[in-house]
Amino acid sequence: MSRVSGAAVAPVVAFFSYWGMSHKPAEAPRPPPKPVKLGYWQIRGLVEPIRTLCAYGHIEVQPIVYQQGDRSVNFDKSMWYNVKNHIGLDFPNLPYLFDNGLKLTQSDAILRHLCRRIDEKLLGTTDEEQAKVDMLLGVSMDFRMTLVRVAYRNYHDDAVRAELQQQRIPSFLAKFERFAALHGGPHILGSRLTIADFVLYDLLDVSERMAPGVLSQYPSLKRLCLAFEDQEAIRTFIDEAPSIPLNNMHAKFGAEPQPRGLPASARN
């Protein structure tokens, strides 16, 4: 075996052949990532897929919670409005994410950033998959706004609620069902979880709450929800996270705390 001789030299990474194997000096352990700060109302709303994604990726979250006032103060939002332009956000809005100096708003931008930090495969592994994920996120936002408008404005109107339950929700779910079935499941793009599943699961859960029993008509979407909940870290989050409202206090639906997890009406 050859020997290294001569005067001391500057530190250098040395490799020694030993029984045909290369050995590197052990790397120092990386420090644990700093927790992210996530600002939002004390509701599920737009931020629930972000919270769930952080749980899935084992990212510690320090929540910054803004509370809307109740009816006695005309549902006052000054807790947020008083600070929104003074915390260094380029485009002040909720939700926002602070991650090691990076300050982000816009829920889809936050989701994509966290996917790159956790596992870029969550954004799709091919150009086609990534394009489909982008499409699904866009359609999901259209669906979300359909639900939100009724929840905040006129859910208690019998005619409006009936139209939502019998026409609007089924119209979206039928398209998602065909897409999921075409790709074979159990997730929306097939065998691998993507960020689209995080957003869609939340919307399917809300749909079932606004139209009890609706998911029973869509077996691929019901399978998607159960497969999503079957992820260990997600199951733990669902079981352990506190119950909070779906929507803010002035909403006509979902203003009361509700437990997480697919409602019993979807499990029969």
Side-chain angles (χ1 to χ4, degrees):
M1 180 180 293
S2 59
R3 297 188 302 171
V4 179
S5 61
V9 294
V12 63
V13 177
F15 298 90
F16 295 91
S17 177
Y18 184 67
W19 290 335
M21 299 177 63
S22 295
H23 293 265
K24 299 180 182 180
E27 294 182 1
R30 293 183 180 181
K34 295 181 179 179
V36 300
K37 294 181 179 180
L38 184 60
Y40 199 58
W41 303 108
Q42 181 66 354
I43 62 173
R44 283 174 50 172
L46 285 167
V47 87
E48 188 70 0
I50 298 172
R51 294 188 185 113
T52 311
L53 178 62
C54 287
Y56 174 80
H58 304 287
I59 294 177
E60 183 180 350
V61 176
Q62 292 181 353
I64 302 174
V65 177
Y66 299 94
Q67 187 68 51
Q68 181 185 25
D70 60 20
R71 186 179 297 276
S72 67
V73 291
N74 200 29
F75 303 115
D76 178 66
K77 295 183 177 180
S78 60
M79 187 178 184
W80 162 240
Y81 291 149
N82 288 344
V83 302
K84 65 179 290 186
N85 293 315
H86 307 287
I87 54 177
L89 295 170
D90 294 314
F91 302 95
N93 209 342
L94 294 174
Y96 65 75
L97 181 83
F98 292 174
D99 184 6
N100 195 29
L102 177 67
K103 297 184 176 183
L104 283 178
T105 52
Q106 298 300 315
S107 55
D108 281 358
I110 293 170
L111 285 168
R112 288 184 172 94
H113 166 70
L114 291 170
C115 285
R116 288 188 288 269
R117 175 171 164 176
I118 296 167
D119 182 357
E120 289 195 15
K121 292 179 181 179
L122 289 167
L123 296 170
T125 58
T126 66
D127 288 347
E128 180 179 341
E129 281 189 357
Q130 291 168 5
K132 288 182 176 180
V133 166
D134 290 344
M135 176 179 67
L136 288 164
L137 292 178
V139 175
S140 294
M141 184 57 74
D142 293 342
F143 187 21
R144 183 179 296 280
M145 295 313 299
T146 296
L147 300 175
V148 166
R149 278 191 291 268
V150 175
Y152 276 90
R153 294 178 184 174
N154 46 13
Y155 182 79
H156 293 324
D157 184 299
D158 291 343
V160 171
R161 187 172 64 255
E163 182 186 9
L164 177 75
Q165 294 174 339
Q166 298 169 22
Q167 297 180 36
R168 294 188 182 185
I169 289 177
S171 176
F172 276 99
L173 296 192
K175 296 180 181 70
F176 283 124
E177 173 73 15
R178 286 195 297 270
F179 189 94
L182 178 65
H183 289 79
H187 307 298
I188 191 63
L189 277 175
S191 61
R192 187 169 48 251
L193 200 66
T194 69
I195 189 56
D197 291 283
F198 287 79
V199 175
L200 187 54
Y201 169 82
D202 181 55
L203 292 172
L204 296 175
D205 178 36
V206 174
S207 296
E208 181 67 23
R209 295 170 192 269
M210 297 186 80
V214 70
L215 280 181
S216 64
Q217 305 169 51
Y218 305 99
S220 294
L221 297 182
K222 183 175 178 179
R223 181 187 180 201
L224 180 154
C225 290
L226 297 177
F228 185 80
E229 289 185 348
D230 199 42
Q231 306 291 319
E232 182 178 357
I234 292 172
R235 181 75 261 166
T236 299
F237 172 75
I238 289 172
D239 290 343
E240 296 181 359
S243 298
I244 59 175
L246 301 178
N247 299 312
N248 244 327
M249 296 186 70
H250 62 289
K252 305 300 188 293
F253 174 85
E256 299 297 325
Q258 299 186 28
R260 290 175 165 92
L262 206 61
S265 59
R267 299 180 183 277
N268 299 328

